[in-house]
Amino acid sequence: MSFNIGSQQGNINNVAGDQTIHGGQHGQFAMTTDPRAMLDLLRSELDRLALPPEVASQVNTEVASLDAELASPSPDRTTMAQRLVQITRLVTAAGAAVTAGGTLAGALSSFAAWLGPIGDSVLHAIG
């Protein structure tokens, strides 16, 4: 069996068998190539997690490091990838879900894409 699917937009579901959706499906996709905007999104998503104070402090230190790197004339992308992986580990260890479909994972994935091949370590940390 083969399928020829043309251009699709919106939510796309591939299922084996029947699928019933009640209440509709909604999705939001935001893409930016501006690392400052990515950092702002990451900050806001991290703030929404209400992390324990000691974890939030460590995460904020990592975010401050990202901010400093972006302020430099040539940000060190390897260092930035390491900071993003550390943020992911801290958040996950605190019990917050960093799943492939979540907004936090989206912010991290955007940074990973901007970092290029170095960003693969971030994607692996997300899972």
Side-chain angles (χ1 to χ4, degrees), residues 41-118:
L41 176 61
L42 179 61
R43 264 193 191 109
S44 68
E45 290 306 311
L46 290 167
D47 288 345
R48 289 173 8 125
L49 295 179
L51 296 168
E54 64 279 358
V55 175
S57 176
Q58 291 174 312
V59 167
N60 289 336
T61 298
E62 299 297 335
V63 171
S65 175
L66 289 171
D67 196 23
E69 280 300 326
L70 287 175
S72 74
S74 58
D76 183 336
R77 291 178 185 231
T78 301
T79 297
M80 293 182 71
Q82 292 167 347
R83 301 292 185 207
L84 292 166
V85 167
Q86 182 62 12
I87 289 169
T88 305
R89 288 181 179 151
L90 288 165
V91 168
T92 303
V98 183
T99 57
T103 310
L104 177 58
L108 291 164
S109 296
S110 292
F111 252 122
W114 179 78
L115 291 170
I118 294 169

